Amino acid sequence: MWRLTSCYCKYCKGIKKQRRNKWDDTLQQLKNSNLQGVSRDVFSRIELSYKLLEAEEAKSCFLLCSLFPEDFDIRVEDLVRYGKGLRLFKNVDKVHHARTRVYNLIDELKESFLLLEGDGHDYVKMHYCPRCSHINCLKNKQWHTLQSEAKMNEWREEDGYKHCIAISLLYEKISDQLNDLEYPKLELLQIGDDCWSPGLPNNVYAGMKELKVLALSWSFPSLLQSLDVLRNLRTLCLVVFNEHWGRAIGALVKLEILEIRDRCLRLPGEIGQLKNLRLLDLRRVDGLEYIPSGVLLALSKLEELYLPSYFVEWEHMEDGKKTNASLSELDTHHMTALEISVPQASILPEVSVFRNLERFKICVGCTNEIVADRNYAKVLRLRDDASVIKETGMKVLMGKAEVLNLIEVTNLKEVISTDECVEQGYLVDALQGIPRLPEIQLPYFGKLRELNIQSCDVLKYFIPLSMAKGLRQLHKISVEICKEMEGIFYNSEVDDEVEFPELTDLELRALPNFLGFIINKSLYWKAKLLPKLLGTGRLKPKNSSLDCITTYVKIVFKFIRTMTELLS
């Protein structure tokens, strides 16, 4: 059914503009043929859609997608890293610029019905029929997806390997297929999850000296130990089970992107020799305990660092000597993406590290996986003393954050202080302001989509209503187990009004002193609200402080004793 559904109403701009009977006829052909004998017209339109793509980069992005298995959820980040390694994108130097380019290209491919939405966020799929038809598009490009041993043998007999640029091996046994062949033009090699190799020789890369991208989805000892011959490699994705691969990796002086998965207790010190490395991704490493001191400092061109959420062994000391890396090693780097967890805010790096971040997930004082209802790129999770947090670079990120989690922040009386006499108990001083950045028009939480406050015992409200006018894109507010919380916003101005047109989730739990959504002033209704209540039936509030919410909202109230304004 998936194939049938994906093959209907898609492929190219030509079909998109046809009458309904054209669509119905195509559907009927697909039903009757079960994808066998579909008219050449359908496939020719697929090719036409490909050829009509305005940008050559979009065609290259489509070719990258064709290297993955049928019905596969293709991770957009893989397209970014492969494309960056192959230099597919013109005038792109930074990794985050390549990412922006890929998302634009994917939009173009979707509009041309060559790609579908994937099953998860940041994933795409290729239509079945384009996969069947893409071979004709690729003949001149020499990009090959080999899904069977028979196909591989046929390809070898025709000497197809001599001119190929990209190979994706997606079948089981490959031990005899990569031996004794020269691949003088090969730039990309991908070996899929189902492949296995009991006896590949150590010199398997000898005929692949021009390889730019290598992606291994399984651990092949011989392939790991002989990496040092790939001196032109720029993107490397590895699955490792031991540390022996580290001896070879230091020779890859042109490497720019490195992703490591599976079991790795100690990061090899040889990684510090990768002077051109721009992206290091260790999020899918299991059991990481040790990053050698000085390795991060040596990666002077590093732009993006992704670490597993459980890793908090920063500045670990043994016998009075620092053995593990310190986050201060990043102070001189121009970081644009950072995903880290730290046990306390005091060891965070300098403000300069955070100033240029385009993507971040930073967890302070906890090692739990950062969870948000949507897949946001800018997430803060803070759990420490308020006076310690406010002395760090977190105030810069609060102006950028899409998700803000305040969990058991002790001594937090105000999130933003507006009183020059107050010296402690807040995160941001409004009199100094959050440092303005070119891309931020509103200094106070102007990009916030989701707010979660939990167990902040002395906090009475989030921020003044006058500072909430930049929160029009807020989707969710969740507040729970805050003993002194009286309201979400505090309003001291008689004429202040604000709306939250995107708010869809409001969760309030265990707030014994809660008075209202906005305290100190009752506002008048401008829009009718029919919120749904879970477990409490249906509520139709009138003349309440919820009138700033103009959409249908899922609201959860639990263990709230006083709500004098909320339901008045």
Side-chain angles (χ1 to χ4, degrees):
M1 184 60 186
W2 159 250
R3 292 183 180 181
L4 182 60
T5 303
S6 68
C7 286
Y8 180 57
C9 69
K10 46 183 175 286
Y11 313 121
C12 69
K13 296 176 181 178
I15 287 182
K16 181 172 68 172
K17 297 178 181 179
Q18 295 297 323
R19 289 176 173 269
R20 172 64 180 270
N21 61 350
K22 180 67 176 179
W23 294 80
D24 291 341
D25 179 60
T26 301
L27 175 61
Q28 193 60 40
Q29 290 184 63
L30 294 170
K31 282 181 176 179
N32 293 337
S33 64
N34 193 27
L35 299 179
Q36 298 296 324
V38 178
S39 70
R40 292 184 179 180
D41 180 60
V42 172
F43 291 108
S44 65
R45 288 181 182 275
I46 297 170
E47 293 189 27
L48 176 62
S49 182
Y50 171 83
K51 292 176 182 178
L52 288 178
L53 291 171
E54 295 180 359
E56 285 296 320
E57 293 178 356
K59 295 180 180 180
S60 297
C61 188
F62 177 73
L63 298 183
L64 283 177
C65 292
S66 73
L67 297 176
F68 293 86
E70 179 185 331
D71 291 349
F72 189 77
D73 269 314
I74 304 167
R75 194 172 63 140
V76 175
E77 190 64 21
D78 288 337
L79 304 179
V80 174
R81 297 174 185 186
Y82 292 6
K84 184 72 170 63
L86 294 173
R87 296 292 190 266
L88 296 182
F89 315 122
K90 296 179 180 179
N91 302 317
V92 168
D93 182 46
K94 302 292 185 182
V95 177
H96 76 274
H97 290 156
R99 188 175 293 111
T100 301
R101 182 73 56 85
V102 168
Y103 275 99
N104 288 336
L105 296 174
I106 285 174
D107 287 341
E108 184 177 345
L109 291 170
K110 289 177 180 177
E111 290 173 359
S112 298
F113 301 106
L114 290 169
L115 289 183
L116 289 167
E117 294 284 352
D119 290 340
H121 190 74
D122 292 332
Y123 289 85
V124 295
K125 283 187 176 181
M126 178 174 279
H127 292 294
Y128 175 73
C129 278
R131 279 196 52 73
C132 294
S133 176
H134 86 278
I135 295 175
N136 291 330
C137 299
L138 310 187
K139 281 183 178 178
N140 294 329
K141 288 287 186 179
Q142 297 300 313
W143 293 49
H144 296 274
T145 303
L146 303 173
Q147 299 188 358
S148 69
E149 188 171 0
K151 192 67 181 177
M152 180 69 168
N153 291 332
E154 177 186 342
W155 177 69
R156 284 164 59 98
E157 291 174 0
E158 295 176 354
D159 291 343
Y161 59 89
K162 292 183 178 180
H163 305 287
C164 65
I165 296 173
I167 301 175
S168 180
L169 300 178
L170 304 176
Y171 63 95
E172 291 184 357
K173 189 176 181 181
I174 62 170
S175 59
D176 299 327
Q177 307 299 341
L178 295 177
N179 298 348
D180 304 323
L181 294 180
E182 290 288 330
Y183 302 86
K185 297 183 179 181
L186 186 64
E187 296 187 6
L188 183 151
L189 175 62
Q190 176 177 260
I191 300 180
D193 290 333
D194 296 331
C195 297
W196 64 281
S197 170
L200 279 173
N202 288 339
N203 65 344
V204 69
Y205 296 126
M208 306 178 185
K209 298 294 181 63
E210 295 302 315
L211 203 63
K212 307 294 192 304
V213 176
L214 176 61
L216 305 177
S217 297
W218 194 251
S219 183
F220 303 92
S222 58
L223 295 184
L224 298 180
Q225 295 170 14
S226 55
L227 287 171
D228 56 337
V229 302
L230 300 176
R231 300 302 176 93
N232 292 305
L233 204 62
R234 299 192 188 110
T235 296
L236 177 59
C237 304
L238 290 180
V239 176
V240 299
F241 288 108
N242 54 54
E243 299 167 16
H244 300 300
W245 56 276
R247 301 168 187 168
I249 203 169
L252 307 180
V253 294
K254 293 184 179 180
L255 196 65
E256 297 178 356
I257 296 173
L258 175 60
E259 178 181 356
I260 302 171
R261 292 188 291 159
D262 231 305
R263 190 72 175 170
C264 180
L265 299 179
R266 301 168 64 89
L267 194 70
E270 288 84 354
I271 287 181
Q273 301 173 29
L274 306 177
K275 303 301 183 182
N276 288 299
L277 197 68
R278 295 170 179 262
L279 185 154
L280 178 59
D281 188 350
L282 307 177
R283 282 175 293 187
R284 291 193 276 182
V285 169
D286 182 27
L288 183 64
E289 298 177 354
Y290 178 73
I291 299 177
S293 178
V295 165
L296 298 180
L297 178 63
L299 303 176
S300 57
K301 293 186 178 181
L302 192 66
E303 301 168 12
E304 303 193 359
L305 175 63
Y306 304 94
L307 295 178
S309 61
Y310 63 81
F311 182 81
V312 292
E313 298 296 327
W314 301 105
E315 303 181 4
H316 183 70
M317 305 291 289
E318 288 184 7
D319 299 327
K321 296 182 179 180
K322 185 190 298 181
T323 57
N324 256 10
S326 167
L327 282 169
S328 62
E329 296 178 30
L330 301 176
D331 288 348
T332 58
H333 298 357
H334 188 89
M335 302 298 297
T336 57
L338 188 61
E339 191 164 324
I340 57 172
S341 295
V342 297
Q344 62 267 349
S346 58
I347 67 171
L348 286 167
E350 295 293 328
V351 175
S352 59
V353 175
F354 303 119
R355 198 174 300 278
N356 297 302
L357 291 183
E358 299 287 336
R359 296 156 59 91
F360 56 85
K361 290 185 179 179
I362 297 178
C363 185
V364 176
C366 48
T367 59
N368 298 327
E369 187 71 28
I370 295 175
V371 177
D373 283 354
R374 303 163 191 246
N375 195 350
Y376 294 110
K378 303 173 183 178
V379 181
L380 280 182
R381 186 180 179 92
L382 305 179
R383 183 177 182 175
D384 205 333
D385 189 281
S387 60
V388 178
I389 295 174
K390 77 180 182 68
E391 298 300 329
T392 69
M394 293 297 97
K395 57 187 177 183
V396 172
L397 297 184
M398 286 184 193
K400 296 181 175 186
E402 297 172 326
V403 178
L404 176 62
N405 298 299
L406 302 176
I407 312 298
E408 296 182 18
V409 180
T410 56
N411 300 315
L412 179 62
K413 298 178 181 179
E414 296 179 301
V415 176
I416 298 179
S417 174
T418 57
D419 189 347
E420 60 182 356
C421 297
V422 177
E423 296 182 358
Q424 296 182 359
Y426 62 89
L427 299 182
V428 179
D429 187 349
L431 300 179
Q432 295 180 356
I434 298 175
R436 289 181 178 269
L437 299 169
E439 70 275 18
I440 299 177
Q441 298 178 352
L442 296 165
Y444 301 109
F445 307 105
K447 300 194 174 206
L448 198 62
R449 306 292 188 274
E450 182 177 318
L451 171 66
N452 301 294
I453 303 176
Q454 178 182 330
S455 301
C456 296
D457 288 343
V458 295
L459 185 65
K460 291 188 175 182
Y461 61 89
F462 175 46
I463 57 175
L465 188 65
S466 59
M467 297 179 181
K469 296 180 180 180
L471 301 182
R472 293 182 59 84
Q473 300 180 78
L474 196 62
H475 288 286
K476 177 183 176 181
I477 298 176
S478 175
V479 184
E480 57 182 291
I481 321 177
C482 295
K483 297 178 181 178
E484 301 297 325
M485 179 70 73
E486 296 179 359
I488 310 300
F489 303 102
Y490 171 76
N491 186 25
S492 59
E493 303 293 334
V494 176
D495 297 327
D496 256 354
E497 294 185 9
V498 66
E499 291 184 352
F500 304 97
E502 301 297 324
L503 188 63
T504 58
D505 288 270
L506 174 61
E507 300 180 6
L508 308 173
R509 294 182 173 92
L511 308 175
N513 291 301
F514 197 83
L515 300 176
F517 189 74
I518 301 171
I519 58 175
N520 206 39
K521 180 176 179 286
S522 294
L523 299 177
Y524 295 99
W525 276 84
K526 289 185 177 180
K528 188 175 182 180
L529 175 68
L530 295 175
K532 292 189 296 181
L533 298 180
L534 299 183
T536 59
R538 183 173 292 276
L539 177 70
K540 295 182 181 180
K542 295 181 180 180
N543 297 327
S544 96
S545 61
L546 282 174
D547 70 325
C548 50
I549 306 173
T550 59
T551 57
Y552 287 84
V553 185
K554 180 185 77 177
I555 305 181
V556 179
F557 300 139
K558 289 187 178 180
F559 312 114
I560 299 177
R561 297 175 186 173
T562 60
M563 296 176 58
T564 56
E565 260 191 52
L566 187 60
L567 303 179
S568 61

